[in-house]
Amino acid sequence: DFKNFGTSDIDGVGNIKSAVDIIREELLKKNVDLFAQYFYHNVKLFRVMVPLGTDLNHYFEIMNSRGEQLEKHEIVKALLIGQIQGTTEVQNKFAAVWDACSDMNDYIYSHFKSLSDSQIDKITFDDILLFSDNDEDEDISLSDILANHVIPSDFPGKEIRIKEKYRSIIDFPNFLLQVLKIRHNEVPLDDKSLVKHFTPYLNEPIEFITDLLKYRWLFDKYIIKQDLTDTNDKTQSWGIRKLSVNDNSNGTVKTFDDDEELVKLQVILYYSDSTNTYNNWLFEFLKFVNSNQENYTNYTSKIFEIAGNKFDSSTLSYPDISIFNLYFIDFLFWKLYITEVQNKEYINLQEPLLSLKQKIFNKKNLFNTFRFKHVSSKEHLFPQSKANDFGIEPEYLNSVGNLCLISSSQNSQGNKDMPVAKKKLFETDNSSLKRLIMFESFENDKWEAEQIQKHKEEIISLLQQEELIALSE
């Protein structure tokens, strides 16, 4: 195959073909067939995906001078494999499961075609050993690889777009810690000391890899992923999807038919702390899912409980109010709307919530299309720079009644404008439901201390209606 490869007619691989021709010619000319055979059978080629914008010349220089440094999770993998008392096949299966689970931006079943939904909840390592041979990489020749995979003309751009179909909310080192913490609650979710956290538990490689696969399956089935095939950045399309058992093409379908509330709650938990560490909500939810039968109502109630516990009723004014608090207030506005739309009336809904509901329905078209976006700027609707001119005291200016969460660009755009000017700019923008409700709360185009206080009372009533907090004035 090595000798005949140079005569192969394969489109799109001209440079590789030329390189093989040169190597073959030189090796045959110098009669070093033994070296050629060693090179062909023993040298392994692997592809390293580097971030977009990487200085490739600098990267090549570093690789040539000192090689690529092992990541911490690769060290943990090696330490765990070293503890396995068994055949090479057992170690290889461990490595195959580990590597498949490490691909967080794809679904785990894409690596294991024989893995079914019915197997996963009671899976054992013996089951893993029985995975079909089709689950593993086959030894195929270079010419076969190239013949069946024509390199696109815009490589590597097209290749990256194909690979990055989904975006996970967490990277692999932190997912490892999620699973380890489920097994051992005392483990902190701090990936900076990944090897240190694993060191006391290196004697349980089989148990850990089995749980890793199980929780990765649950993660894929019940946790949001961003669909990158939706190229509109403004929509930021998140979904909870599972393998379609009726689809031979390994497609996905929604895990639950009506999943808006579950998706939105997970999105705000992620967006409010997207540093990819200390995701305690994810740990709590995965642990709950593992011990409870699939039930959308139960899962939604659990994630709502987690979100409610995260809401901090002691900080409802600027600058201490958290980004999550403002996200969650937007969620409660949406929930009040969708509950009425679905004819699930709130019990004993009284003022000021009746007036709040009317304001919401005045903007129903914008509520219908609402999706949470990644925003992080705490906005004063009445600007801080004009407060003294209009006699707006700090207790009103910095009150939750005068605050909302918007993008940094919008904050810069209308930072010093008066409320009426901001309304003209953003009255059809639903990136913040709370801002829409504040616009609806203007009285004769007036937004000052009295209107701010009324809106604060609406928020407090809504929070109390959900029985999350018991605030006193």
Side-chain angles (χ1 to χ4, degrees):
D1 182 81
F2 180 79
K3 293 182 179 180
N4 295 329
F5 175 74
T7 62
S8 300
D9 184 16
I10 304 173
D11 293 332
V13 294
N15 290 337
I16 295 178
K17 179 179 176 181
S18 298
V20 172
D21 281 341
I22 293 171
I23 294 172
R24 180 174 60 86
E25 180 180 344
E26 290 299 317
L27 292 178
L28 294 178
K29 180 173 64 177
K30 296 180 180 179
N31 195 25
V32 284
D33 187 61
L34 181 63
F35 174 77
Q37 290 300 318
Y38 179 86
F39 182 89
Y40 176 70
H41 289 292
N42 294 279
V43 173
K44 306 295 184 184
L45 301 178
F46 66 97
R47 178 176 165 197
V48 177
M49 298 291 290
V50 297
L52 290 174
T54 299
D55 185 334
L56 297 181
N57 289 330
H58 182 60
Y59 180 80
F60 184 76
E61 180 182 341
I62 293 174
M63 287 289 291
N64 273 342
S65 62
R66 67 181 187 200
E68 184 177 22
Q69 299 299 307
L70 284 175
E71 295 188 39
K72 292 177 182 178
H73 66 84
E74 294 173 317
I75 296 173
V76 172
K77 173 187 174 184
L79 292 173
L80 287 169
I81 288 178
Q83 294 294 317
I84 295 176
Q85 303 297 320
T87 64
T88 301
E89 179 191 7
V90 175
Q91 294 178 331
N92 288 342
K93 285 290 185 180
F94 179 102
V97 172
W98 182 283
D99 292 344
C101 289
S102 70
D103 185 5
M104 297 298 294
N105 290 328
D106 202 350
Y107 283 82
I108 190 68
Y109 64 76
S110 67
H111 296 272
F112 296 117
K113 304 299 187 296
S114 62
L115 186 62
S116 69
D117 201 6
S118 59
Q119 291 175 307
I120 196 65
D121 59 343
K122 297 180 181 179
I123 197 167
T124 67
F125 193 73
D126 289 338
D127 297 324
I128 295 174
L129 290 174
L130 294 176
F131 282 175
S132 71
D133 291 338
N134 291 333
D135 290 336
E136 299 179 353
D137 293 336
E138 300 178 10
D139 291 330
I140 56 178
S141 68
L142 177 60
S143 58
D144 287 339
I145 292 173
L146 297 175
N148 291 286
H149 183 79
V150 177
I151 297 177
S153 58
D154 65 342
F155 175 83
K158 185 176 181 180
E159 194 77 4
I160 291 172
R161 289 195 295 274
I162 293 172
K163 181 65 176 177
E164 294 181 351
K165 184 177 180 181
Y166 301 102
R167 177 177 295 152
S168 169
I169 63 171
I170 193 171
D171 62 18
F172 184 55
N174 280 285
F175 184 72
L176 290 174
L177 284 176
Q178 292 279 330
V179 177
L180 188 63
K181 185 174 179 61
I182 291 172
R183 293 180 56 80
H184 305 284
N185 189 62
E186 66 276 10
V187 172
L189 297 177
D190 177 13
D191 67 327
K192 295 183 180 64
S193 303
L194 186 68
V195 178
K196 177 183 176 182
H197 297 326
F198 266 90
T199 299
Y201 311 110
L202 293 176
N203 61 341
E204 49 186 54
I206 302 303
E207 295 83 356
F208 181 79
I209 199 67
T210 306
D211 273 359
L212 183 66
L213 179 59
K214 177 178 66 174
Y215 283 106
R216 180 56 209 278
W217 181 271
L218 295 175
F219 177 88
D220 283 354
K221 191 174 180 182
Y222 300 113
I223 304 299
I224 54 170
K225 276 188 173 68
Q226 186 175 8
D227 186 353
L228 300 180
T229 59
D230 184 350
T231 57
N232 186 349
D233 292 336
K234 293 182 179 179
T235 60
Q236 299 180 328
S237 179
W238 292 95
I240 299 175
R241 306 182 69 82
K242 65 179 180 180
L243 172 66
S244 172
V245 294
N246 298 318
D247 187 345
N248 293 326
S249 65
N250 292 329
T252 62
V253 294
K254 293 174 68 172
T255 303
F256 301 105
D257 291 335
D258 182 11
D259 61 2
E260 273 197 284
E261 187 169 344
L262 186 59
V263 169
K264 280 181 166 58
L265 283 166
Q266 288 191 22
V267 166
I268 66 172
L269 285 163
Y270 168 65
Y271 276 157
S272 62
D273 184 18
S274 57
T275 58
N276 204 21
T277 56
Y278 304 110
N279 288 289
N280 286 291
W281 73 268
L282 179 58
F283 156 74
E284 290 182 54
F285 187 67
L286 284 176
K287 190 174 182 179
F288 178 84
V289 166
N290 180 54
S291 58
N292 288 268
Q293 187 175 4
E294 180 176 300
N295 182 291
Y296 177 74
T297 301
N298 289 346
Y299 289 178
T300 305
S301 296
K302 180 60 180 180
I303 203 72
F304 185 81
E305 175 191 329
I306 292 171
N309 290 336
K310 186 179 174 69
F311 187 88
D312 185 359
S313 61
S314 67
T315 56
L316 287 179
S317 60
Y318 184 86
D320 297 327
I321 189 169
S322 68
I323 288 175
F324 176 79
N325 275 12
L326 291 170
Y327 266 128
F328 194 68
I329 290 170
D330 260 11
F331 170 79
L332 293 182
F333 285 146
W334 173 83
K335 187 180 179 184
L336 178 59
Y337 168 72
I338 206 67
T339 301
E340 293 293 326
V341 168
Q342 296 173 348
N343 297 316
K344 299 177 182 178
E345 293 185 1
Y346 281 83
I347 299 174
N348 300 324
L349 199 62
Q350 300 175 353
E351 292 293 356
L353 293 186
L354 287 173
S355 298
L356 175 60
K357 186 177 75 170
Q358 183 58 53
K359 294 173 187 176
I360 289 173
F361 274 84
N362 289 344
K363 294 292 185 180
K364 63 181 181 180
N365 291 335
L366 292 172
F367 271 72
N368 281 334
T369 59
F370 171 67
R371 288 183 181 181
F372 282 106
K373 299 177 176 62
H374 193 192
V375 291
S376 58
S377 184
K378 302 171 188 177
E379 159 82 339
H380 289 77
L381 184 56
F382 193 100
Q384 299 178 78
S385 60
K386 305 289 179 63
N388 290 335
D389 297 341
F390 287 81
I392 307 296
E393 297 294 332
E395 68 172 296
Y396 298 106
L397 177 70
N398 296 321
S399 160
V400 66
N402 190 45
L403 301 172
C404 62
L405 198 62
I406 63 174
S407 67
S408 298
S409 60
Q410 285 193 358
N411 199 353
S412 299
Q413 185 178 354
N415 183 36
K416 297 180 180 181
D417 289 344
M418 291 297 290
V420 172
K422 291 179 180 179
K423 183 175 181 179
K424 290 180 180 178
L425 279 174
F426 304 118
E427 63 182 338
T428 61
D429 183 297
N430 66 349
S431 58
S432 169
L433 296 182
K434 190 175 183 303
R435 184 173 59 182
L436 290 176
I437 299 305
M438 289 193 286
F439 289 157
E440 284 296 302
S441 301
F442 285 14
E443 295 177 352
N444 296 321
D445 285 339
K446 186 177 181 181
W447 179 256
E448 296 181 10
E450 181 180 354
Q451 292 74 37
I452 291 171
Q453 179 62 22
K454 288 180 180 179
H455 182 54
K456 176 184 175 181
E457 291 170 359
E458 290 175 339
I459 294 167
I460 291 173
S461 296
L462 184 58
L463 292 167
Q464 290 173 334
Q465 178 71 27
E466 294 292 345
E467 299 181 348
L468 291 172
I469 61 173
L471 286 174
S472 59
E473 291 295 329

